[in-house]
Amino acid sequence: MSKKDLTLTKYQMVKDYVLSQIENQEFTEEDRIPSESEFSKLLDVSTITVRKALSELVNEGVIYRIRGKGSFVASQAAVPEKTSNLVAFVISGVELYDSSYMQIMRGIQSFLGKHGCKLIIEFVENDFEQERELVLGLIQTELRGLLIYSSDPEAAKGYLGEIRKKAIPFVMLDRSPSGYPVNVVTCNNHDGAYEAVEYLIQQGHQRIGFAAYDYHLSPEIDRYNGYRNAMLNASIPISESLLFLDKEMDHAVLAHLIQNGELTALFCANDKRALEVIERLTALDIRIPEQVSLIGFDDFESSKFAKVALSTVKQYFDVLGYESAKLLFEITEGSSYGNKKVMLPTSLVIRETTKRFQG
């Protein structure tokens, strides 16, 4: 333990001792408490450490000082409740053991483990009503804060209002509602998508399509805007016929566009969509990357082991978890003010699904 950490520990020990004596009524209202030198001998700490602890208790209204007479317990001294060491992570997704979810949890645990907190993981299988009921139940318990990975952030506005009424700190992960300020940690979806599409353009592609998966979610909208801006900044017109924004994708139409040379590359909003496209196009005898180049987003563990190893935009899920827990602590400790949007970097990973266009 460093000298600084030791000083902080001793200072907190003095505070905790005074608070426990008040709580146990050893020190009662208007009682004079020991002097700085008496506390120093009693607790084997320096008078400077005692002075710092007592000054903070004065600021918190627990004690008051009279010059020349000492320190006294304030009337109706407000003894702060001990902060809960429980953090709940509500995750609404498809498969609990998805590698990306596991990495997020590992990142959260990594931070909380350093700060003596316990993590409660509540998984909901992509059912918003269950998600809402779960959150409303959790906020009736004693929590330090909530981490939320929502299946429908727009619908979540309702229960987020209830969390705020309870004054429980919360941070959203990956996605957040539009027009509703919240603390959120996400990756730089726009720039990651822009870099991917820019790479395809540099490889000679111009007829580049975009395939969404859950287009109502804020990350996918940001990724579409990254795609769009990369195309527009390269003075390449965007054809509506090359946009696949629906959840159900018509792979036969996609194959037809590829066979006719109307689409030579496809940027997918996530690896789930990209891996599905690889499977379906391969079944339709479309060769990847000979006939079409493909880039996904996320870099799932399975992406490198696909039939054709997937080129993708990597986001760092463990860092997402770690930074979300860190932001939650900053809020609970009062060192973060206002609503923050933390954006994490991404990196382009080129594997075997991309090829220079030979037109």
Side-chain angles (χ1 to χ4, degrees):
M1 186 179 288
S2 69
K3 190 174 180 182
K4 182 181 177 184
D5 289 339
L6 191 60
T7 302
L8 287 171
T9 303
K10 287 187 173 182
Y11 138 77
Q12 189 62 48
M13 180 182 72
V14 177
K15 275 193 73 178
D16 288 346
Y17 177 79
V18 176
L19 291 170
S20 68
Q21 293 294 89
I22 294 171
E23 200 169 10
N24 298 332
Q25 296 192 322
E26 296 293 330
F27 298 157
T28 57
E29 286 183 19
E30 308 301 337
D31 276 357
R32 179 186 175 279
I33 63 173
S35 67
E36 288 177 7
S37 60
E38 287 169 333
F39 269 130
S40 177
K41 290 175 185 173
L42 178 67
L43 301 175
D44 192 25
V45 294
S46 70
T47 54
I48 295 171
T49 300
V50 175
R51 190 172 304 132
K52 176 177 170 58
L54 296 185
S55 295
E56 193 156 314
L57 288 170
V58 169
N59 293 337
E60 292 171 3
V62 176
I63 62 174
Y64 64 93
R65 283 173 170 159
I66 299 176
R67 185 180 291 276
K69 292 189 176 181
S71 299
F72 299 82
V73 178
S75 296
Q76 297 178 328
V79 180
E81 292 181 13
K82 290 181 180 177
T83 306
S84 169
N85 70 338
L86 291 178
V87 171
F89 177 34
V90 177
I91 182 164
S92 188
V94 180
E95 169 55 60
L96 175 59
Y97 297 107
D98 181 310
S99 64
S100 62
Y101 300 160
M102 299 305 287
Q103 289 172 55
I104 291 170
M105 291 175 205
R106 191 161 59 239
I108 295 170
Q109 287 278 31
S110 174
F111 183 89
L112 294 184
K114 296 174 184 176
H115 294 82
C117 274
K118 294 178 181 177
L119 178 64
I120 304 169
I121 298 168
E122 296 284 1
F123 179 76
V124 178
E125 203 161 326
N126 231 29
D127 183 323
F128 179 74
E129 277 309 305
Q130 281 188 28
E131 175 188 325
R132 186 181 66 81
E133 288 175 19
L134 181 61
V135 170
L136 293 178
L138 281 168
I139 63 176
Q140 305 306 319
T141 62
E142 191 179 330
L143 290 175
R144 183 174 185 125
L146 270 170
L147 298 168
I148 303 168
Y149 187 104
S150 176
S151 61
D152 192 342
E154 296 304 316
K157 289 177 184 177
Y159 73 59
L160 294 178
E162 295 301 312
I163 298 172
R164 282 184 164 151
K165 285 179 190 174
K166 290 275 189 180
I168 296 173
F170 70 92
V171 172
M172 301 195 77
L173 285 77
D174 185 62
R175 66 280 299 263
S176 58
S178 60
Y180 192 91
V182 293
N183 286 291
V184 59
V185 180
T186 184
C187 76
N188 193 335
N189 292 291
H190 176 279
D191 290 6
Y194 190 106
E195 185 182 7
V197 176
E198 185 178 52
Y199 173 80
L200 290 171
I201 293 168
Q202 289 168 353
Q203 293 295 300
H205 295 276
Q206 293 208 354
R207 295 184 287 281
I208 304 169
F210 174 85
Y213 189 82
D214 280 315
Y215 193 59
H216 67 283
L217 295 176
S218 56
E220 295 211 9
I221 294 169
D222 289 343
R223 291 170 197 178
Y224 170 74
N225 287 331
Y227 156 84
R228 182 174 177 274
N229 289 331
M231 295 286 279
L232 294 178
N233 289 342
S235 301
I236 301 172
I238 297 170
S239 171
E240 293 290 325
S241 65
L242 305 186
L243 302 180
F244 297 85
L245 304 181
D246 295 334
K247 182 79 170 182
E248 295 301 319
M249 186 172 179
D250 194 328
H251 297 90
V253 169
L254 175 62
H256 179 75
L257 290 168
I258 294 166
Q259 287 162 340
N260 287 354
E262 296 173 56
L263 183 149
T264 68
L266 183 69
F267 172 63
C268 296
N270 64 26
D271 283 6
K272 286 178 186 173
R273 178 61 86 197
L275 293 171
E276 173 196 292
V277 167
I278 290 173
E279 287 291 326
R280 298 295 294 273
L281 289 184
T282 303
L284 293 169
D285 295 324
I286 300 291
R287 300 185 312 282
I288 303 168
E290 289 78 12
Q291 288 176 274
V292 63
S293 284
L294 199 63
I295 296 183
F297 199 114
D298 285 329
D299 196 23
F300 287 162
E301 191 64 29
S302 56
S303 297
K304 66 185 78 164
F305 303 115
K307 284 183 178 177
V308 186
L310 179 65
S311 295
T312 187
V313 178
K314 182 180 183 67
Q315 63 165 316
Y316 299 87
F317 294 106
D318 54 340
V319 179
L320 176 67
Y322 188 94
E323 291 298 325
S324 300
K326 181 181 173 186
L327 179 56
L328 186 67
F329 258 66
E330 289 174 3
I331 300 164
T332 60
E333 293 178 347
S335 59
S336 177
Y337 305 96
N339 291 297
K340 281 188 178 178
K341 184 171 186 176
V342 178
M343 295 180 73
L344 305 173
T346 60
S347 56
L348 185 60
V349 179
I350 299 302
R351 295 194 180 106
E352 297 170 9
T353 55
T354 46
K355 184 176 185 291
R356 174 168 286 280
F357 177 65
Q358 306 291 337

